[in-house]
Amino acid sequence: MSDLAQVDKTVDARGSYCPGPLMELIKTVKAASVGQVIEVLSSDQGSAKDIPEWVKKVGHELIYNEKAQDGDYWRIAVKKVK
């Protein structure tokens, strides 16, 4: 588990399927301030690939992308940098 980043907001998208978690993240990032870290909890395996691709495309920073200790979902943190 990554405890290095201070998470400012958490989007719990467990139970929703792609592109739901990504759309929730995009909405939350737009409302966030520069420098804030948003963590997404997603049970959709596609999020572990789609969210990092989106982060790279738009120029934010991926803090971590990992499976939770119980293995039922992913924890993905993104820092808004612009």
Side-chain angles (χ1 to χ4, degrees):
M1 182 180 290
S2 296
D3 292 323
L4 300 175
Q6 169 76 35
V7 174
D8 296 297
K9 295 181 183 183
T10 299
V11 175
D12 189 349
R14 290 177 286 185
S16 73
Y17 297 96
C18 232
L22 177 59
M23 299 310 290
E24 286 295 317
L25 173 63
I26 291 170
K27 184 172 78 175
T28 304
V29 167
K30 283 183 179 177
S33 301
V34 172
Q36 286 190 309
V37 174
I38 297 98
E39 180 184 58
V40 178
L41 308 179
S42 176
S43 53
D44 184 353
Q45 185 175 359
S47 297
K49 180 180 175 211
D50 295 344
I51 290 175
E53 287 177 0
W54 175 78
V55 168
K56 184 177 179 181
K57 179 179 175 183
V58 298
H60 294 304
E61 180 182 349
L62 183 67
I63 305 297
Y64 56 81
N65 179 7
E66 64 188 19
K67 210 163 190 179
Q69 287 183 335
D70 66 8
D72 287 342
Y73 63 96
W74 281 262
R75 298 174 66 234
I76 306 160
V78 176
K79 183 175 184 178
K80 182 173 180 173
V81 296
K82 59 181 183 177

